[in-house]
C-alpha cells in the first residue's frame, strides 16, 4: 500500500462520506441536460406576432403607413392629351361653328327653300288659281335669292325666265341677290323664312304679296372662326308684290333692307359680309341683331348704312 492510502483523512469515515456527497453533486451538475421545452425559445415568436398585429391595427386606422414595399401596386394614370379645337368648331368664348353658321341666329331652324302656303280663294280667283300663283312666285323668288347661277355667277337669265311675257328688267337691281366677287358662301345653304298672301288689284288682277327674310353665311377671311355670327351672316328682308299675268309674275312694288353687310358693296347692288372692307359696320341702333331676322320688322329702314 502506498503512503497516500495511509493518509489520516482517507481513513476518516466521516470525511469520506462528505467527500462522496460532494463528488456526486459535482457529477450531477456536469451531466448534460435532457432535451425539453425551453420557454426562452417561445418568447421571440410571440413578440413578433404581437408586433405585426399592432402594425396591422395601426395601419387600418391610419396612424402609420406600411413600408412602400408592402403597399399594393398602383397603375399609372393614362395621360390625357388636349387637342386644339378645330377652327370650324364653336368654342367656349363664343366663336362661330362654321359647319353650322346659323346655329346661334334666329335662322337656325329656317328652311332652305322658299315656303308657299296653301291657296285660298281670293275674290273671283279660286283656291287652285291662287295656289298656282303662289308656286309661280315661289319659283321667281327662288331664282332671285337662292339660285347659285344668279347669286354667285350674276346670270339674270334663270330669273327673267320665270317672269310674265313682256317684262323687261335689264337691271333687276335690289330684286336679286348678287354675292360680291372675292367672297364665298359657306357650304351651308342660305336660309329663308316668311309668307305669301294674295289680293285683288285695282284692275281686277290677282296680286301676290311676299314677305321674306333671307340669311347668307359667308366664308370668313381666315381659318379663325369669327367671334359672332353677325360677322359672317348677312340678312336681306324684302317685301315685294307681283301681279299675275297669264299665270306668271310681273314684278311691281318692292322694299327691302340689308343688315350686317358691307355698305360700300351694298351701294353697288352687291352683297358682302360685315367683316369685309371699310364702311362695313351697320349703323348703330337700339335693336338687337335678332330683330332684323323677324319678318314682322318694318322694311322702311334703308340699307342700314
Amino acid at each position: 500500500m502506498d503512503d497516500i492510502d495511509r493518509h489520516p483523512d482517507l481513513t476518516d469515515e466521516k470525511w469520506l462520506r462528505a467527500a462522496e456527497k460532494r463528488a456526486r453533486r459535482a457529477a450531477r451538475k456536469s451531466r448534460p441536460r435532457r432535451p425539453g421545452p425551453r420557454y426562452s425559445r417561445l418568447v421571440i415568436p410571440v413578440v413578433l406576432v404581437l408586433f405585426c398585429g399592432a402594425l396591422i391595427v395601426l395601419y387600418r386606422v391610419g396612424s402609420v403607413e406600411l413600408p412602400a414595399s408592402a403597399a399594393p401596386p398602383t397603375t399609372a394614370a393614362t395621360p390625357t392629351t388636349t387637342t386644339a379645337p378645330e377652327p370650324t368648331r364653336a368654342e367656349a368664348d363664343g366663336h362661330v361653328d362654321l359647319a353650322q353658321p346659323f346655329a346661334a341666329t334666329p335662322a337656325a331652324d329656317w328652311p332652305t327653300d322658299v315656303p308657299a302656303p296653301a291657296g285660298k280663294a281670293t275674290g273671283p280667283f279660286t283656291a287652285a288659281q291662287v295656289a298656282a300663283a303662289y308656286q309661280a312666285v315661289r319659283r321667281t323668288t327662288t331664282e332671285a335669292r337662292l339660285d347659285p347661277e344668279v347669286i354667285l355667277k350674276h346670270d339674270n337669265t334663270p330669273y327673267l325666265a320665270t317672269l310674265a311675257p313682256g317684262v323687261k328688267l335689264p337691271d333687276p337691281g335690289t330684286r336679286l341677290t348678287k354675292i360680291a366677287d372675292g367672297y364665298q358662301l359657306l357650304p351651308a345653304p342660305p336660309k329663308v323664312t316668311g309668307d305669301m298672301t294674295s289680293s285683288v288689284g285695282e284692275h281686277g288682277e290677282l296680286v301676290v304679296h311676299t314677305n321674306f327674310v333671307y340669311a347668307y353665311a359667308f366664308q370668313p377671311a381666315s381659318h379663325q372662326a369669327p367671334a359672332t355670327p353677325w360677322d359672317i351672316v348677312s340678312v336681306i328682308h324684302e317685301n315685294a308684290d307681283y301681279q299675275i299675268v297669264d299665270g306668271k309674275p310681273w314684278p311691281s312694288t318692292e322694299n327691302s333692307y340689308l343688315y350686317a353687310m358691307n355698305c360700300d358693296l351694298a351701294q353697288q347692288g352687291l352683297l358682302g359680309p360685315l367683316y369685309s372692307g371699310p364702311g362695313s359696320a351697320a349703323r348703330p341702333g337700339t335693336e338687337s341683331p335678332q330683330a332684323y331676322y323677324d319678318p314682322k320688322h318694318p322694311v322702311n329702314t334703308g340699307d342700314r348704312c
Side-chain angles (χ1 to χ4, degrees):
M1 180 179 295
D2 294 337
D3 291 341
I4 191 170
D5 293 335
R6 294 192 296 269
H7 191 280
D9 290 339
L10 296 178
T11 60
D12 187 345
E13 293 184 0
K14 184 177 180 180
W15 182 91
L16 288 174
R17 287 195 298 270
E20 184 180 359
K21 290 181 180 181
R22 287 195 296 272
R24 290 178 179 176
R25 191 181 300 116
R28 284 196 301 268
K29 289 183 178 180
S30 63
R31 204 181 302 168
R33 293 187 178 185
R34 295 179 181 177
R38 298 185 63 181
Y39 295 107
S40 60
R41 294 179 182 177
L42 300 176
V43 171
I44 294 176
V46 171
V47 171
L48 289 176
V49 170
L50 293 176
F51 178 73
C52 292
L55 279 180
I56 293 174
V57 171
L58 292 174
Y59 170 73
R60 289 181 178 275
V61 299
S63 298
V64 298
E65 296 181 358
L66 290 178
S69 60
T74 57
T75 303
T78 303
T80 57
T81 57
T82 302
T83 304
E86 295 289 337
T88 58
R89 301 305 307 165
E91 299 179 24
D93 57 2
H95 286 188
V96 179
D97 181 354
L98 298 185
Q100 303 179 74
F102 301 106
T105 74
D109 298 325
W110 291 2
T112 56
D113 296 321
V114 175
K120 295 181 179 180
T122 302
F125 301 98
T126 65
Q129 290 175 311
V130 173
Y134 285 162
Q135 290 301 321
V137 172
R138 181 175 180 270
R139 287 190 293 272
T140 297
T141 54
T142 296
E143 294 297 338
R145 300 297 185 184
L146 302 177
D147 185 356
E149 290 294 319
V150 176
I151 68 175
L152 299 180
K153 297 181 180 180
H154 304 174
D155 182 1
N156 297 344
T157 304
Y159 166 75
L160 296 174
T162 67
L163 301 180
V167 175
K168 297 190 181 297
L169 294 173
D171 183 10
T174 57
R175 290 185 177 273
L176 302 182
T177 297
K178 292 185 178 181
I179 304 300
D181 292 337
Y183 302 99
Q184 294 181 343
L185 296 179
L186 288 168
K191 297 293 194 82
V192 57
T193 191
D195 200 4
M196 298 183 194
T197 57
S198 60
S199 66
V200 179
E202 295 180 358
H203 305 288
E205 73 280 11
L206 179 62
V207 179
V208 174
H209 311 277
T210 64
N211 178 28
F212 291 120
V213 182
Y214 305 87
Y216 304 85
F218 284 87
Q219 175 71 47
S222 67
H223 291 296
Q224 178 62 46
T228 70
W230 327 121
D231 295 325
I232 60 169
V233 178
S234 298
V235 171
I236 296 176
H237 184 185
E238 178 187 54
N239 290 164
D241 293 343
Y242 298 86
Q243 299 177 11
I244 303 302
V245 178
D246 296 330
K248 289 191 173 183
W250 186 299
S252 54
T253 62
E254 190 270 352
N255 286 297
S256 63
Y257 66 71
L258 287 73
Y259 181 74
M261 71 302 178
N262 183 312
C263 290
D264 290 344
L265 294 174
Q267 293 171 0
Q268 303 173 41
L270 302 172
L271 183 64
L274 181 62
Y275 67 77
S276 62
S280 61
R283 180 181 300 168
T286 58
E287 295 180 293
S288 67
Q290 290 87 342
Y292 296 98
Y293 287 71
D294 188 352
K296 297 179 181 179
H297 192 286
V299 296
N300 56 349
T301 57
D303 59 5
R304 304 301 299 168
C305 291

